Amino acid sequence: MNRMTFLGSTGALLMLISGAALTACDGGVQHYAGPVRVTDPVQITEAAPQDGALSSAASLITKELSGDPKFGSVALEQGKLVIMWHGPENDRIALLRDQLPGVDISIRSAACVPGTVMDRAGTLLTEDARVRVVGMANDGSHVVVTVSEGADSSALAAAYEARLGCPVRLETGGVVPATGK
Amino acid sequence: MRWRSTAVGVTAIALSLGGGLAANAADGPAEAPPPADALASIQPSSSGIELLTLPPVSEEMSELASELSGKHTDDPNFASVEVTRKRDRIIVYWHGAPSRELLDTIESRPLVPIEIRPTQLAPSMLKGKAASLAHKDATVGSIGLKHDGSGLLVTLKESPENGWEKAAASSRFSTSLGVPVEVASDAAPVPAANARQFDVNYHLGGARIYDRGSGGACTSGFAVRQNITSREAMMFAAHCGPVGSQWSVYDGGPHYYIWGAVAARDTYHDGAIIDSGWSQPYSWTAAWNSYVYTPINGSAYPYVGQEICYSGSFSGLKCGNIVQQVDVGYELGGDLTDIKGFRTQHSNGEPAVGNGDSGGPGYQIVSSANGLKRNAVGIISAIPRESGSSCQGVPGNSAPGGRKCSSTAYATSVSSIAASLGYYIPVW
């Protein structure tokens, strides 16, 4: 407290703009029109770059297979791409292999049907207030359901399994928006 | 002005004269957006100290000033925070006895010299007077508190032609309101220099933005273009605000500038578009309070094993976030009952994302034949409910409602949002 002193006041200003002024001049903010010098003294530490070809391939596969209920996800694992997929490979995957020569693509067989299960999980999320997060395990073997309470209830897990048509692992938790003040 | 935008950013008091945050009234037609090559790509640079016109502010002082401003803006006794030009102390302008919360904030940084200066008048009373004048007098162009709480400062829509006219207007307003009113001689000043916290002119991803209505803060995500009209806009998070909510940036003092209103939302991917009129394919990067930006060279879908660099305006740049799971469903309340996103985990368990980073960019860095590329991948959406107060950038706060951060983040696909709403990601 001895760092604080109470003095008289002087000062500059803090200004507000009226709504009328805003309406009249909205959009009149000056645009930037000149070179900029990079001035930040902080040494920027970004990530080591990922392989551009593999990344592009992963992105393309995701784009092309999204919406197919048999498709779960693409994973980059030790320099190759692994597609989580339910059932036998189809023509779309064969086509992607042709489009991406030189890219090592393998299939990880999903026990559950990812798209179907996640559609049902979305409905569960909307209808059951306890359910906060749902996500399929990357091997397609089960769904992780995060609930606000009751994660230790085997009856609840069984009920969700029956509804989703896929084994369920319950966790406790939830998410909140990352907004600020 | 460069200095001003870093240090005076602590004097924010947002008053609402027609709603929440106020906006500037720069006159004249808007110029065309700058050509892309007007902006330099990111380069690790020299210290930059030579560009300052005043001594640099210590990091701890800057953080405390920012924290004071952020925490107490809504307190009726709080006027402003100032860092002295000598950089030897922070001055808090406060009416009456300091609150326990204010003292707690100050005592959390025992090494930073602080002075509390009492204001002559109650800031809440001045804000009320300012609002009433703005609503009933059509000649007023802008009005605000003097930062020391000694009265109001007004600019007129038409600048006074001489000193007599200024004095007459000042007298008229002072008599009408019963508080000292000074009439400034010119219109609102030119915006301060640009930075992540004060992105008045550039309109980049990773900038601190505020909801004009509620004052809530989010971060801009990625520049986008409308598929048919190519109109320039900005992508961020749907949970930040409804369609029609207006988003602004702070210029470091004293104004807020409107970027634009939310024109479209994709609640399935927690994505939204601010109709900003212009935006540029760059993202603010490095620290939360940096001046550094980097080009965005493309876009990509999320996949398991991908490394994401988040660049929220509260946390700053944090790479090392590995995608653990895609197609994750979660809910954030309201109309966001079934969001599809992806989950990342920082490889060293360090806090990567926190409150205030919502809407911000998540990009990946890839190698290509033409060098490194940064691809837009995600929009920062959520953090676990149980997140702690250990944060990078703007400090966390363990109190309820305080800023929380996490090494786990939930983000949504930029490509999916763009496809859903009819926009594309321009590339540098």
mmCIF file with all atom_site columns, all heavy atoms in Angstrom, chain B residues 287-312:
data_model
loop_
_atom_site.group_PDB
_atom_site.id
_atom_site.type_symbol
_atom_site.label_atom_id
_atom_site.label_alt_id
_atom_site.label_comp_id
_atom_site.label_asym_id
_atom_site.label_entity_id
_atom_site.label_seq_id
_atom_site.pdbx_PDB_ins_code
_atom_site.Cartn_x
_atom_site.Cartn_y
_atom_site.Cartn_z
_atom_site.occupancy
_atom_site.B_iso_or_equiv
_atom_site.pdbx_formal_charge
_atom_site.auth_seq_id
_atom_site.auth_comp_id
_atom_site.auth_asym_id
_atom_site.auth_atom_id
_atom_site.pdbx_PDB_model_num
ATOM 1   N N   . ALA B 1 287 ? 3.235   -12.492 -30.030 1.00 0.00 ? 287 ALA B N   1
ATOM 2   C CA  . ALA B 1 287 ? 2.613   -12.274 -28.727 1.00 0.00 ? 287 ALA B CA  1
ATOM 3   C C   . ALA B 1 287 ? 1.230   -11.644 -28.844 1.00 0.00 ? 287 ALA B C   1
ATOM 4   O O   . ALA B 1 287 ? 0.868   -11.083 -29.875 1.00 0.00 ? 287 ALA B O   1
ATOM 5   C CB  . ALA B 1 287 ? 3.512   -11.391 -27.867 1.00 0.00 ? 287 ALA B CB  1
ATOM 6   N N   . TRP B 1 288 ? 0.494   -11.711 -27.767 1.00 0.00 ? 288 TRP B N   1
ATOM 7   C CA  . TRP B 1 288 ? -0.871  -11.177 -27.743 1.00 0.00 ? 288 TRP B CA  1
ATOM 8   C C   . TRP B 1 288 ? -0.898  -9.683  -28.037 1.00 0.00 ? 288 TRP B C   1
ATOM 9   O O   . TRP B 1 288 ? -1.886  -9.148  -28.512 1.00 0.00 ? 288 TRP B O   1
ATOM 10  C CB  . TRP B 1 288 ? -1.520  -11.441 -26.380 1.00 0.00 ? 288 TRP B CB  1
ATOM 11  C CG  . TRP B 1 288 ? -0.920  -10.651 -25.258 1.00 0.00 ? 288 TRP B CG  1
ATOM 12  C CD1 . TRP B 1 288 ? 0.228   -10.926 -24.582 1.00 0.00 ? 288 TRP B CD1 1
ATOM 13  C CD2 . TRP B 1 288 ? -1.409  -9.435  -24.702 1.00 0.00 ? 288 TRP B CD2 1
ATOM 14  N NE1 . TRP B 1 288 ? 0.486   -9.963  -23.640 1.00 0.00 ? 288 TRP B NE1 1
ATOM 15  C CE2 . TRP B 1 288 ? -0.516  -9.034  -23.682 1.00 0.00 ? 288 TRP B CE2 1
ATOM 16  C CE3 . TRP B 1 288 ? -2.533  -8.638  -24.957 1.00 0.00 ? 288 TRP B CE3 1
ATOM 17  C CZ2 . TRP B 1 288 ? -0.695  -7.869  -22.934 1.00 0.00 ? 288 TRP B CZ2 1
ATOM 18  C CZ3 . TRP B 1 288 ? -2.712  -7.476  -24.203 1.00 0.00 ? 288 TRP B CZ3 1
ATOM 19  C CH2 . TRP B 1 288 ? -1.806  -7.114  -23.208 1.00 0.00 ? 288 TRP B CH2 1
ATOM 20  N N   . ASN B 1 289 ? 0.189   -8.992  -27.754 1.00 0.00 ? 289 ASN B N   1
ATOM 21  C CA  . ASN B 1 289 ? 0.211   -7.534  -27.949 1.00 0.00 ? 289 ASN B CA  1
ATOM 22  C C   . ASN B 1 289 ? 1.200   -7.142  -29.040 1.00 0.00 ? 289 ASN B C   1
ATOM 23  O O   . ASN B 1 289 ? 1.776   -6.066  -28.996 1.00 0.00 ? 289 ASN B O   1
ATOM 24  C CB  . ASN B 1 289 ? 0.569   -6.852  -26.633 1.00 0.00 ? 289 ASN B CB  1
ATOM 25  C CG  . ASN B 1 289 ? 1.873   -7.370  -26.049 1.00 0.00 ? 289 ASN B CG  1
ATOM 26  O OD1 . ASN B 1 289 ? 2.461   -8.305  -26.586 1.00 0.00 ? 289 ASN B OD1 1
ATOM 27  N ND2 . ASN B 1 289 ? 2.314   -6.782  -24.959 1.00 0.00 ? 289 ASN B ND2 1
ATOM 28  N N   . SER B 1 290 ? 1.376   -7.988  -30.015 1.00 0.00 ? 290 SER B N   1
ATOM 29  C CA  . SER B 1 290 ? 2.416   -7.746  -31.013 1.00 0.00 ? 290 SER B CA  1
ATOM 30  C C   . SER B 1 290 ? 1.931   -6.864  -32.160 1.00 0.00 ? 290 SER B C   1
ATOM 31  O O   . SER B 1 290 ? 0.747   -6.581  -32.304 1.00 0.00 ? 290 SER B O   1
ATOM 32  C CB  . SER B 1 290 ? 2.910   -9.069  -31.594 1.00 0.00 ? 290 SER B CB  1
ATOM 33  O OG  . SER B 1 290 ? 2.040   -9.499  -32.626 1.00 0.00 ? 290 SER B OG  1
ATOM 34  N N   . TYR B 1 291 ? 2.903   -6.477  -32.981 1.00 0.00 ? 291 TYR B N   1
ATOM 35  C CA  . TYR B 1 291 ? 2.639   -5.746  -34.206 1.00 0.00 ? 291 TYR B CA  1
ATOM 36  C C   . TYR B 1 291 ? 2.900   -6.632  -35.426 1.00 0.00 ? 291 TYR B C   1
ATOM 37  O O   . TYR B 1 291 ? 2.954   -6.133  -36.535 1.00 0.00 ? 291 TYR B O   1
ATOM 38  C CB  . TYR B 1 291 ? 3.584   -4.555  -34.324 1.00 0.00 ? 291 TYR B CB  1
ATOM 39  C CG  . TYR B 1 291 ? 3.350   -3.452  -33.349 1.00 0.00 ? 291 TYR B CG  1
ATOM 40  C CD1 . TYR B 1 291 ? 3.774   -3.533  -32.032 1.00 0.00 ? 291 TYR B CD1 1
ATOM 41  C CD2 . TYR B 1 291 ? 2.732   -2.276  -33.766 1.00 0.00 ? 291 TYR B CD2 1
ATOM 42  C CE1 . TYR B 1 291 ? 3.587   -2.501  -31.145 1.00 0.00 ? 291 TYR B CE1 1
ATOM 43  C CE2 . TYR B 1 291 ? 2.540   -1.237  -32.882 1.00 0.00 ? 291 TYR B CE2 1
ATOM 44  C CZ  . TYR B 1 291 ? 2.965   -1.355  -31.578 1.00 0.00 ? 291 TYR B CZ  1
ATOM 45  O OH  . TYR B 1 291 ? 2.778   -0.333  -30.702 1.00 0.00 ? 291 TYR B OH  1
ATOM 46  N N   . VAL B 1 292 ? 3.091   -7.892  -35.214 1.00 0.00 ? 292 VAL B N   1
ATOM 47  C CA  . VAL B 1 292 ? 3.587   -8.760  -36.268 1.00 0.00 ? 292 VAL B CA  1
ATOM 48  C C   . VAL B 1 292 ? 2.465   -9.558  -36.907 1.00 0.00 ? 292 VAL B C   1
ATOM 49  O O   . VAL B 1 292 ? 1.617   -10.100 -36.205 1.00 0.00 ? 292 VAL B O   1
ATOM 50  C CB  . VAL B 1 292 ? 4.637   -9.724  -35.689 1.00 0.00 ? 292 VAL B CB  1
ATOM 51  C CG1 . VAL B 1 292 ? 5.205   -10.603 -36.781 1.00 0.00 ? 292 VAL B CG1 1
ATOM 52  C CG2 . VAL B 1 292 ? 5.738   -8.947  -35.012 1.00 0.00 ? 292 VAL B CG2 1
ATOM 53  N N   . TYR B 1 293 ? 2.494   -9.635  -38.208 1.00 0.00 ? 293 TYR B N   1
ATOM 54  C CA  . TYR B 1 293 ? 1.479   -10.417 -38.898 1.00 0.00 ? 293 TYR B CA  1
ATOM 55  C C   . TYR B 1 293 ? 2.150   -11.287 -39.947 1.00 0.00 ? 293 TYR B C   1
ATOM 56  O O   . TYR B 1 293 ? 3.292   -11.071 -40.324 1.00 0.00 ? 293 TYR B O   1
ATOM 57  C CB  . TYR B 1 293 ? 0.432   -9.510  -39.547 1.00 0.00 ? 293 TYR B CB  1
ATOM 58  C CG  . TYR B 1 293 ? 1.021   -8.392  -40.346 1.00 0.00 ? 293 TYR B CG  1
ATOM 59  C CD1 . TYR B 1 293 ? 1.460   -8.598  -41.644 1.00 0.00 ? 293 TYR B CD1 1
ATOM 60  C CD2 . TYR B 1 293 ? 1.168   -7.133  -39.800 1.00 0.00 ? 293 TYR B CD2 1
ATOM 61  C CE1 . TYR B 1 293 ? 2.025   -7.577  -42.375 1.00 0.00 ? 293 TYR B CE1 1
ATOM 62  C CE2 . TYR B 1 293 ? 1.731   -6.105  -40.526 1.00 0.00 ? 293 TYR B CE2 1
ATOM 63  C CZ  . TYR B 1 293 ? 2.163   -6.323  -41.813 1.00 0.00 ? 293 TYR B CZ  1
ATOM 64  O OH  . TYR B 1 293 ? 2.730   -5.317  -42.521 1.00 0.00 ? 293 TYR B OH  1
ATOM 65  N N   . THR B 1 294 ? 1.406   -12.257 -40.408 1.00 0.00 ? 294 THR B N   1
ATOM 66  C CA  . THR B 1 294 ? 1.977   -13.221 -41.350 1.00 0.00 ? 294 THR B CA  1
ATOM 67  C C   . THR B 1 294 ? 0.929   -13.579 -42.386 1.00 0.00 ? 294 THR B C   1
ATOM 68  O O   . THR B 1 294 ? -0.266  -13.559 -42.092 1.00 0.00 ? 294 THR B O   1
ATOM 69  C CB  . THR B 1 294 ? 2.438   -14.474 -40.565 1.00 0.00 ? 294 THR B CB  1
ATOM 70  O OG1 . THR B 1 294 ? 3.205   -15.299 -41.414 1.00 0.00 ? 294 THR B OG1 1
ATOM 71  C CG2 . THR B 1 294 ? 1.266   -15.257 -40.022 1.00 0.00 ? 294 THR B CG2 1
ATOM 72  N N   . PRO B 1 295 ? 1.345   -13.876 -43.600 1.00 0.00 ? 295 PRO B N   1
ATOM 73  C CA  . PRO B 1 295 ? 0.351   -14.161 -44.642 1.00 0.00 ? 295 PRO B CA  1
ATOM 74  C C   . PRO B 1 295 ? -0.302  -15.520 -44.470 1.00 0.00 ? 295 PRO B C   1
ATOM 75  O O   . PRO B 1 295 ? 0.312   -16.452 -43.940 1.00 0.00 ? 295 PRO B O   1
ATOM 76  C CB  . PRO B 1 295 ? 1.178   -14.122 -45.940 1.00 0.00 ? 295 PRO B CB  1
ATOM 77  C CG  . PRO B 1 295 ? 2.564   -14.422 -45.513 1.00 0.00 ? 295 PRO B CG  1
ATOM 78  C CD  . PRO B 1 295 ? 2.724   -13.857 -44.127 1.00 0.00 ? 295 PRO B CD  1
ATOM 79  N N   . ILE B 1 296 ? -1.518  -15.608 -44.924 1.00 0.00 ? 296 ILE B N   1
ATOM 80  C CA  . ILE B 1 296 ? -2.226  -16.889 -44.979 1.00 0.00 ? 296 ILE B CA  1
ATOM 81  C C   . ILE B 1 296 ? -2.211  -17.324 -46.444 1.00 0.00 ? 296 ILE B C   1
ATOM 82  O O   . ILE B 1 296 ? -2.674  -16.600 -47.326 1.00 0.00 ? 296 ILE B O   1
ATOM 83  C CB  . ILE B 1 296 ? -3.674  -16.742 -44.464 1.00 0.00 ? 296 ILE B CB  1
ATOM 84  C CG1 . ILE B 1 296 ? -3.657  -16.312 -42.991 1.00 0.00 ? 296 ILE B CG1 1
ATOM 85  C CG2 . ILE B 1 296 ? -4.433  -18.051 -44.642 1.00 0.00 ? 296 ILE B CG2 1
ATOM 86  C CD1 . ILE B 1 296 ? -2.943  -17.259 -42.040 1.00 0.00 ? 296 ILE B CD1 1
ATOM 87  N N   . ASN B 1 297 ? -1.679  -18.519 -46.669 1.00 0.00 ? 297 ASN B N   1
ATOM 88  C CA  . ASN B 1 297 ? -1.419  -18.946 -48.044 1.00 0.00 ? 297 ASN B CA  1
ATOM 89  C C   . ASN B 1 297 ? -2.429  -19.937 -48.596 1.00 0.00 ? 297 ASN B C   1
ATOM 90  O O   . ASN B 1 297 ? -2.343  -20.313 -49.763 1.00 0.00 ? 297 ASN B O   1
ATOM 91  C CB  . ASN B 1 297 ? -0.029  -19.591 -48.127 1.00 0.00 ? 297 ASN B CB  1
ATOM 92  C CG  . ASN B 1 297 ? 1.042   -18.720 -47.496 1.00 0.00 ? 297 ASN B CG  1
ATOM 93  O OD1 . ASN B 1 297 ? 1.472   -18.984 -46.373 1.00 0.00 ? 297 ASN B OD1 1
ATOM 94  N ND2 . ASN B 1 297 ? 1.445   -17.676 -48.191 1.00 0.00 ? 297 ASN B ND2 1
ATOM 95  N N   . GLY B 1 298 ? -3.339  -20.387 -47.769 1.00 0.00 ? 298 GLY B N   1
ATOM 96  C CA  . GLY B 1 298 ? -4.292  -21.374 -48.251 1.00 0.00 ? 298 GLY B CA  1
ATOM 97  C C   . GLY B 1 298 ? -5.170  -21.845 -47.118 1.00 0.00 ? 298 GLY B C   1
ATOM 98  O O   . GLY B 1 298 ? -5.221  -21.221 -46.052 1.00 0.00 ? 298 GLY B O   1
ATOM 99  N N   . SER B 1 299 ? -5.860  -22.937 -47.338 1.00 0.00 ? 299 SER B N   1
ATOM 100 C CA  . SER B 1 299 ? -6.713  -23.498 -46.290 1.00 0.00 ? 299 SER B CA  1
ATOM 101 C C   . SER B 1 299 ? -6.622  -25.011 -46.339 1.00 0.00 ? 299 SER B C   1
ATOM 102 O O   . SER B 1 299 ? -6.216  -25.593 -47.356 1.00 0.00 ? 299 SER B O   1
ATOM 103 C CB  . SER B 1 299 ? -8.153  -23.027 -46.451 1.00 0.00 ? 299 SER B CB  1
ATOM 104 O OG  . SER B 1 299 ? -8.650  -23.407 -47.723 1.00 0.00 ? 299 SER B OG  1
ATOM 105 N N   . ALA B 1 300 ? -6.986  -25.630 -45.253 1.00 0.00 ? 300 ALA B N   1
ATOM 106 C CA  . ALA B 1 300 ? -6.940  -27.092 -45.180 1.00 0.00 ? 300 ALA B CA  1
ATOM 107 C C   . ALA B 1 300 ? -7.972  -27.578 -44.185 1.00 0.00 ? 300 ALA B C   1
ATOM 108 O O   . ALA B 1 300 ? -8.347  -26.844 -43.257 1.00 0.00 ? 300 ALA B O   1
ATOM 109 C CB  . ALA B 1 300 ? -5.544  -27.560 -44.761 1.00 0.00 ? 300 ALA B CB  1
ATOM 110 N N   . TYR B 1 301 ? -8.414  -28.786 -44.388 1.00 0.00 ? 301 TYR B N   1
ATOM 111 C CA  . TYR B 1 301 ? -9.316  -29.420 -43.429 1.00 0.00 ? 301 TYR B CA  1
ATOM 112 C C   . TYR B 1 301 ? -8.495  -29.977 -42.261 1.00 0.00 ? 301 TYR B C   1
ATOM 113 O O   . TYR B 1 301 ? -7.326  -30.327 -42.424 1.00 0.00 ? 301 TYR B O   1
ATOM 114 C CB  . TYR B 1 301 ? -10.094 -30.554 -44.088 1.00 0.00 ? 301 TYR B CB  1
ATOM 115 C CG  . TYR B 1 301 ? -11.243 -30.092 -44.960 1.00 0.00 ? 301 TYR B CG  1
ATOM 116 C CD1 . TYR B 1 301 ? -11.044 -29.771 -46.297 1.00 0.00 ? 301 TYR B CD1 1
ATOM 117 C CD2 . TYR B 1 301 ? -12.522 -29.965 -44.438 1.00 0.00 ? 301 TYR B CD2 1
ATOM 118 C CE1 . TYR B 1 301 ? -12.094 -29.339 -47.106 1.00 0.00 ? 301 TYR B CE1 1
ATOM 119 C CE2 . TYR B 1 301 ? -13.582 -29.539 -45.227 1.00 0.00 ? 301 TYR B CE2 1
ATOM 120 C CZ  . TYR B 1 301 ? -13.362 -29.230 -46.553 1.00 0.00 ? 301 TYR B CZ  1
ATOM 121 O OH  . TYR B 1 301 ? -14.412 -28.799 -47.344 1.00 0.00 ? 301 TYR B OH  1
ATOM 122 N N   . PRO B 1 302 ? -9.095  -30.086 -41.104 1.00 0.00 ? 302 PRO B N   1
ATOM 123 C CA  . PRO B 1 302 ? -8.379  -30.695 -39.976 1.00 0.00 ? 302 PRO B CA  1
ATOM 124 C C   . PRO B 1 302 ? -8.272  -32.207 -40.132 1.00 0.00 ? 302 PRO B C   1
ATOM 125 O O   . PRO B 1 302 ? -9.150  -32.835 -40.710 1.00 0.00 ? 302 PRO B O   1
ATOM 126 C CB  . PRO B 1 302 ? -9.262  -30.332 -38.775 1.00 0.00 ? 302 PRO B CB  1
ATOM 127 C CG  . PRO B 1 302 ? -10.634 -30.172 -39.351 1.00 0.00 ? 302 PRO B CG  1
ATOM 128 C CD  . PRO B 1 302 ? -10.443 -29.643 -40.744 1.00 0.00 ? 302 PRO B CD  1
ATOM 129 N N   . TYR B 1 303 ? -7.188  -32.763 -39.645 1.00 0.00 ? 303 TYR B N   1
ATOM 130 C CA  . TYR B 1 303 ? -7.030  -34.216 -39.624 1.00 0.00 ? 303 TYR B CA  1
ATOM 131 C C   . TYR B 1 303 ? -6.224  -34.590 -38.384 1.00 0.00 ? 303 TYR B C   1
ATOM 132 O O   . TYR B 1 303 ? -5.482  -33.762 -37.834 1.00 0.00 ? 303 TYR B O   1
ATOM 133 C CB  . TYR B 1 303 ? -6.354  -34.724 -40.897 1.00 0.00 ? 303 TYR B CB  1
ATOM 134 C CG  . TYR B 1 303 ? -5.022  -34.075 -41.211 1.00 0.00 ? 303 TYR B CG  1
ATOM 135 C CD1 . TYR B 1 303 ? -3.835  -34.552 -40.658 1.00 0.00 ? 303 TYR B CD1 1
ATOM 136 C CD2 . TYR B 1 303 ? -4.951  -32.984 -42.072 1.00 0.00 ? 303 TYR B CD2 1
ATOM 137 C CE1 . TYR B 1 303 ? -2.618  -33.946 -40.953 1.00 0.00 ? 303 TYR B CE1 1
ATOM 138 C CE2 . TYR B 1 303 ? -3.753  -32.379 -42.370 1.00 0.00 ? 303 TYR B CE2 1
ATOM 139 C CZ  . TYR B 1 303 ? -2.577  -32.861 -41.808 1.00 0.00 ? 303 TYR B CZ  1
ATOM 140 O OH  . TYR B 1 303 ? -1.388  -32.256 -42.087 1.00 0.00 ? 303 TYR B OH  1
ATOM 141 N N   . VAL B 1 304 ? -6.379  -35.791 -37.955 1.00 0.00 ? 304 VAL B N   1
ATOM 142 C CA  . VAL B 1 304 ? -5.715  -36.269 -36.745 1.00 0.00 ? 304 VAL B CA  1
ATOM 143 C C   . VAL B 1 304 ? -4.201  -36.249 -36.958 1.00 0.00 ? 304 VAL B C   1
ATOM 144 O O   . VAL B 1 304 ? -3.708  -36.705 -37.988 1.00 0.00 ? 304 VAL B O   1
ATOM 145 C CB  . VAL B 1 304 ? -6.195  -37.689 -36.394 1.00 0.00 ? 304 VAL B CB  1
ATOM 146 C CG1 . VAL B 1 304 ? -5.424  -38.227 -35.188 1.00 0.00 ? 304 VAL B CG1 1
ATOM 147 C CG2 . VAL B 1 304 ? -7.695  -37.690 -36.104 1.00 0.00 ? 304 VAL B CG2 1
ATOM 148 N N   . GLY B 1 305 ? -3.484  -35.707 -35.988 1.00 0.00 ? 305 GLY B N   1
ATOM 149 C CA  . GLY B 1 305 ? -2.036  -35.620 -36.081 1.00 0.00 ? 305 GLY B CA  1
ATOM 150 C C   . GLY B 1 305 ? -1.546  -34.289 -36.614 1.00 0.00 ? 305 GLY B C   1
ATOM 151 O O   . GLY B 1 305 ? -0.344  -34.000 -36.558 1.00 0.00 ? 305 GLY B O   1
ATOM 152 N N   . GLN B 1 306 ? -2.438  -33.463 -37.121 1.00 0.00 ? 306 GLN B N   1
ATOM 153 C CA  . GLN B 1 306 ? -2.071  -32.145 -37.650 1.00 0.00 ? 306 GLN B CA  1
ATOM 154 C C   . GLN B 1 306 ? -1.640  -31.234 -36.501 1.00 0.00 ? 306 GLN B C   1
ATOM 155 O O   . GLN B 1 306 ? -2.237  -31.266 -35.427 1.00 0.00 ? 306 GLN B O   1
ATOM 156 C CB  . GLN B 1 306 ? -3.311  -31.573 -38.341 1.00 0.00 ? 306 GLN B CB  1
ATOM 157 C CG  . GLN B 1 306 ? -3.144  -30.325 -39.156 1.00 0.00 ? 306 GLN B CG  1
ATOM 158 C CD  . GLN B 1 306 ? -4.481  -29.947 -39.799 1.00 0.00 ? 306 GLN B CD  1
ATOM 159 O OE1 . GLN B 1 306 ? -5.550  -30.163 -39.206 1.00 0.00 ? 306 GLN B OE1 1
ATOM 160 N NE2 . GLN B 1 306 ? -4.443  -29.410 -40.994 1.00 0.00 ? 306 GLN B NE2 1
ATOM 161 N N   . GLU B 1 307 ? -0.629  -30.417 -36.744 1.00 0.00 ? 307 GLU B N   1
ATOM 162 C CA  . GLU B 1 307 ? -0.212  -29.461 -35.716 1.00 0.00 ? 307 GLU B CA  1
ATOM 163 C C   . GLU B 1 307 ? -0.801  -28.095 -36.036 1.00 0.00 ? 307 GLU B C   1
ATOM 164 O O   . GLU B 1 307 ? -0.617  -27.567 -37.135 1.00 0.00 ? 307 GLU B O   1
ATOM 165 C CB  . GLU B 1 307 ? 1.305   -29.359 -35.624 1.00 0.00 ? 307 GLU B CB  1
ATOM 166 C CG  . GLU B 1 307 ? 1.735   -28.331 -34.574 1.00 0.00 ? 307 GLU B CG  1
ATOM 167 C CD  . GLU B 1 307 ? 3.214   -28.324 -34.294 1.00 0.00 ? 307 GLU B CD  1
ATOM 168 O OE1 . GLU B 1 307 ? 3.929   -29.204 -34.812 1.00 0.00 ? 307 GLU B OE1 1
ATOM 169 O OE2 . GLU B 1 307 ? 3.666   -27.428 -33.551 1.00 0.00 ? 307 GLU B OE2 1
ATOM 170 N N   . ILE B 1 308 ? -1.463  -27.541 -35.059 1.00 0.00 ? 308 ILE B N   1
ATOM 171 C CA  . ILE B 1 308 ? -2.147  -26.259 -35.235 1.00 0.00 ? 308 ILE B CA  1
ATOM 172 C C   . ILE B 1 308 ? -1.441  -25.183 -34.414 1.00 0.00 ? 308 ILE B C   1
ATOM 173 O O   . ILE B 1 308 ? -1.074  -25.402 -33.257 1.00 0.00 ? 308 ILE B O   1
ATOM 174 C CB  . ILE B 1 308 ? -3.619  -26.351 -34.770 1.00 0.00 ? 308 ILE B CB  1
ATOM 175 C CG1 . ILE B 1 308 ? -4.371  -27.436 -35.547 1.00 0.00 ? 308 ILE B CG1 1
ATOM 176 C CG2 . ILE B 1 308 ? -4.323  -25.004 -34.901 1.00 0.00 ? 308 ILE B CG2 1
ATOM 177 C CD1 . ILE B 1 308 ? -4.572  -27.153 -37.008 1.00 0.00 ? 308 ILE B CD1 1
ATOM 178 N N   . CYS B 1 309 ? -1.278  -24.013 -35.027 1.00 0.00 ? 309 CYS B N   1
ATOM 179 C CA  . CYS B 1 309 ? -0.812  -22.829 -34.309 1.00 0.00 ? 309 CYS B CA  1
ATOM 180 C C   . CYS B 1 309 ? -2.032  -21.930 -34.084 1.00 0.00 ? 309 CYS B C   1
ATOM 181 O O   . CYS B 1 309 ? -2.643  -21.463 -35.050 1.00 0.00 ? 309 CYS B O   1
ATOM 182 C CB  . CYS B 1 309 ? 0.227   -22.070 -35.126 1.00 0.00 ? 309 CYS B CB  1
ATOM 183 S SG  . CYS B 1 309 ? 1.741   -22.995 -35.451 1.00 0.00 ? 309 CYS B SG  1
ATOM 184 N N   . TYR B 1 310 ? -2.387  -21.715 -32.836 1.00 0.00 ? 310 TYR B N   1
ATOM 185 C CA  . TYR B 1 310 ? -3.471  -20.788 -32.524 1.00 0.00 ? 310 TYR B CA  1
ATOM 186 C C   . TYR B 1 310 ? -2.889  -19.400 -32.303 1.00 0.00 ? 310 TYR B C   1
ATOM 187 O O   . TYR B 1 310 ? -1.773  -19.257 -31.793 1.00 0.00 ? 310 TYR B O   1
ATOM 188 C CB  . TYR B 1 310 ? -4.202  -21.228 -31.258 1.00 0.00 ? 310 TYR B CB  1
ATOM 189 C CG  . TYR B 1 310 ? -5.015  -22.500 -31.411 1.00 0.00 ? 310 TYR B CG  1
ATOM 190 C CD1 . TYR B 1 310 ? -4.744  -23.617 -30.634 1.00 0.00 ? 310 TYR B CD1 1
ATOM 191 C CD2 . TYR B 1 310 ? -6.064  -22.568 -32.323 1.00 0.00 ? 310 TYR B CD2 1
ATOM 192 C CE1 . TYR B 1 310 ? -5.484  -24.780 -30.760 1.00 0.00 ? 310 TYR B CE1 1
ATOM 193 C CE2 . TYR B 1 310 ? -6.813  -23.731 -32.456 1.00 0.00 ? 310 TYR B CE2 1
ATOM 194 C CZ  . TYR B 1 310 ? -6.521  -24.834 -31.678 1.00 0.00 ? 310 TYR B CZ  1
ATOM 195 O OH  . TYR B 1 310 ? -7.265  -25.976 -31.815 1.00 0.00 ? 310 TYR B OH  1
ATOM 196 N N   . SER B 1 311 ? -3.669  -18.409 -32.651 1.00 0.00 ? 311 SER B N   1
ATOM 197 C CA  . SER B 1 311 ? -3.175  -17.038 -32.488 1.00 0.00 ? 311 SER B CA  1
ATOM 198 C C   . SER B 1 311 ? -4.299  -16.132 -31.985 1.00 0.00 ? 311 SER B C   1
ATOM 199 O O   . SER B 1 311 ? -4.713  -15.183 -32.652 1.00 0.00 ? 311 SER B O   1
ATOM 200 C CB  . SER B 1 311 ? -2.614  -16.529 -33.827 1.00 0.00 ? 311 SER B CB  1
ATOM 201 O OG  . SER B 1 311 ? -1.865  -15.353 -33.635 1.00 0.00 ? 311 SER B OG  1
ATOM 202 N N   . GLY B 1 312 ? -4.774  -16.425 -30.792 1.00 0.00 ? 312 GLY B N   1
ATOM 203 C CA  . GLY B 1 312 ? -5.834  -15.621 -30.183 1.00 0.00 ? 312 GLY B CA  1
ATOM 204 C C   . GLY B 1 312 ? -5.316  -14.280 -29.701 1.00 0.00 ? 312 GLY B C   1
ATOM 205 O O   . GLY B 1 312 ? -4.134  -14.126 -29.394 1.00 0.00 ? 312 GLY B O   1
#
